[in-house]
Amino acid sequence: MAGHRSSAITLTRNPTFPFERLIWGLVLFFLLTAPVLVWLLLPTHDDAILPTLGARLLREPRLYFSLVATLAGFVWHQRTRHREQLRLDERGIHYTPPFSWWPQRGFSFTWSEIESLQLLPFSRYQRGAIPVLQIQTKNQTRKIWPLLWFPSELSWAEHRQRQRIRRGTDLAQAFAGCALAKQLTALGQSVHVQPGKTAGFDLFGNRASRAAVLVMFALLTYALADAMLAQQRYLAFTPWPLLGLFGVLAAVSMTILLRRFAVPLLEAIAVAALFAGALGLAGYSGLLRLNQFSDWDGSETVSYVRQANGLFSATGFPAIEVDALEPYWQQYPNGQHYSFSLYRGSLGFWQLDEAPVNAQMRAFYRARDQH
């Protein structure tokens, strides 16, 4: 396969979006200045608020995890973008992986070594959702997803156009619009296109996947609404192991069900995983509601004794931990009694009704602000 001389081109799979550095800078700025912004926006400027807020942030690892995760993501994105490259020139085609342990190994073929270039539907997707460029030499076969590669200087408008091409229905038309195909044509390389479609799986066109997605959104809506309205929390009971077990069973069952309705494997796994996550979030609130409503005697008022800062206990009942830094709780000395409302329904665990506590806290802060 002899090629014509042409300028070389280097393609990448990670685009540089407009204002990308500005966006990353704003994210980092927000993470670093969030504590100060929270303090400045507080409704009161009590002298005790700043040290209290600082102590809470020092005890909150998620703030630092978010910052570390953001920095790690930024570094990973930059290293991958600069190091994973696909270069086409008058000599041949060369692929450089971003890391030595990358699943796709590097290769370099001259045009004389290549026996054929074929564009095939992606076999793992039913109906060929993404085309594959197969490079066949005498001893090796390599595959590239041509619609995922583009020049590093790609503009935002061109990126949007590339996304529209990926959603096209004609395999040859979609391939002809990508940068890799244009460079191959400029180099005089012919590609055999097998008949096929690039239309991806229609998630809402399949009855089973549509029903699963609708149920998932219903579960998420319930979890969000109940989290905003309910004022209950678990006592001496952690539901996550149980919810995790149910989530795994639900994900496996949903995957099998979707596969029976001709949903592609990857789409079935993705929908099933999201469904299991939504079921877990809804189950967290649902168990509280079920246990509350199955307590036929209603809530039980129990007198607790403050044992230490942030800790209340009562004989025969689980201990209750509160925010030790909250000024409301600091007004109670050790040994003083405080009444809590508890439920224990048919599920057998205790839960705290925080509605009376929240009402008293609001009244406390309202009276304090008025003086």
Side-chain angles (χ1 to χ4, degrees):
M1 297 180 63
H4 306 296
R5 287 190 65 86
S6 175
S7 59
I9 187 174
T10 300
L11 306 177
T12 178
R13 286 203 291 185
N14 294 279
T16 302
F17 299 112
F19 311 111
E20 179 182 353
R21 291 186 178 181
L22 176 61
I23 294 174
W24 278 104
L26 290 175
V27 171
L28 294 176
F29 173 80
F30 174 78
L31 289 174
L32 292 172
T33 60
V36 178
L37 293 176
V38 170
W39 176 72
L40 292 176
L41 297 176
L42 285 174
T44 178
H45 291 283
D46 191 334
D47 294 337
I49 291 296
L50 184 58
T52 299
L53 180 62
R56 289 180 180 175
L57 293 175
L58 289 174
R59 296 172 54 187
E60 181 53 73
R62 287 176 293 182
L63 175 67
Y64 306 102
F65 175 78
S66 301
L67 178 59
V68 171
T70 303
L71 290 173
F74 178 73
V75 173
W76 175 271
H77 180 75
Q78 294 294 325
R79 287 175 62 85
T80 303
R81 178 173 61 206
H82 291 299
R83 298 187 61 176
E84 185 177 24
Q85 297 179 348
L86 184 67
R87 179 178 175 83
L88 291 87
D89 53 33
E90 64 275 4
R91 292 175 297 176
I93 183 171
H94 321 276
Y95 169 73
T96 304
F99 304 101
S100 60
W101 45 264
W102 204 250
Q104 174 76 302
R105 296 298 180 182
F107 60 83
S108 181
F109 300 135
T110 63
W111 297 122
S112 59
E113 293 177 311
I114 298 177
E115 296 182 348
S116 66
L117 295 171
Q118 298 186 66
L119 190 68
L120 314 172
F122 190 16
S123 59
R124 283 195 340 190
Y125 283 83
Q126 295 181 7
R127 307 174 190 172
I130 300 178
V132 173
L133 179 64
Q134 179 174 285
I135 305 172
Q136 183 67 53
T137 67
K138 184 176 181 180
N139 300 319
Q140 298 186 56
T141 300
R142 297 299 180 102
K143 294 182 179 180
I144 298 175
W145 290 262
L147 302 190
L148 302 182
W149 292 90
F150 44 88
S152 57
E153 64 275 8
L154 190 73
S155 68
W156 179 259
E158 291 172 328
H159 175 66
R160 298 300 298 170
Q161 179 63 27
R162 181 182 68 88
Q163 289 183 326
R164 285 192 286 271
I165 290 175
R166 281 189 64 186
R167 300 190 185 102
T169 57
D170 183 74
L171 186 65
Q173 178 185 3
F175 176 68
C178 69
L180 194 154
K182 293 178 180 178
Q183 183 66 10
L184 288 174
T185 301
L187 291 167
Q189 305 300 320
S190 60
V191 180
H192 174 68
V193 181
Q194 289 193 6
K197 301 291 183 179
T198 61
F201 174 73
D202 186 1
L203 189 66
F204 289 94
N206 183 281
R207 290 182 299 175
S209 61
R210 182 171 65 245
V213 171
L214 292 177
V215 173
M216 179 185 68
F217 276 108
L219 291 172
L220 289 175
T221 302
Y222 162 74
L224 179 61
D226 198 68
M228 297 174 62
L229 298 176
Q231 302 181 64
Q232 307 281 329
R233 70 179 171 100
Y234 294 90
L235 291 178
F237 175 71
T238 302
W240 292 118
L242 179 63
L243 294 176
L245 175 61
F246 279 115
V248 171
L249 295 177
V252 173
S253 303
M254 182 59 67
T255 301
I256 296 175
L257 177 63
L258 293 176
R259 291 291 291 163
R260 289 185 176 273
F261 282 86
V263 178
L265 178 60
L266 292 183
E267 281 83 352
I269 293 176
V271 172
L274 293 175
F275 178 84
L279 184 64
L281 293 176
Y284 184 88
S285 300
L287 290 177
L288 287 170
R289 288 295 190 180
L290 180 59
N291 191 61
Q292 176 188 358
F293 295 145
S294 61
D295 189 348
W296 313 117
D297 297 328
S299 63
E300 180 179 355
T301 302
V302 181
S303 179
Y304 273 73
V305 179
R306 172 172 164 154
Q307 299 294 337
N309 193 16
L311 178 63
F312 289 82
S313 65
T315 304
F317 296 91
I320 297 178
E321 294 185 2
V322 297
D323 189 351
L325 298 175
E326 195 71 48
Y328 173 77
W329 296 112
Q330 292 177 357
Q331 66 176 324
Y332 296 101
N334 291 343
Q336 184 166 345
H337 289 260
Y338 189 92
S339 296
F340 290 97
S341 296
L342 308 181
Y343 286 98
R344 188 179 191 182
S346 60
L347 298 184
F349 60 84
W350 289 98
Q351 66 187 69
L352 172 64
D353 183 8
E354 295 184 308
V357 178
N358 292 334
Q360 295 176 27
M361 292 179 68
R362 286 192 296 268
F364 168 80
Y365 289 115
R366 193 181 302 115
R368 190 187 66 169
D369 293 339
Q370 291 176 354
H371 288 74

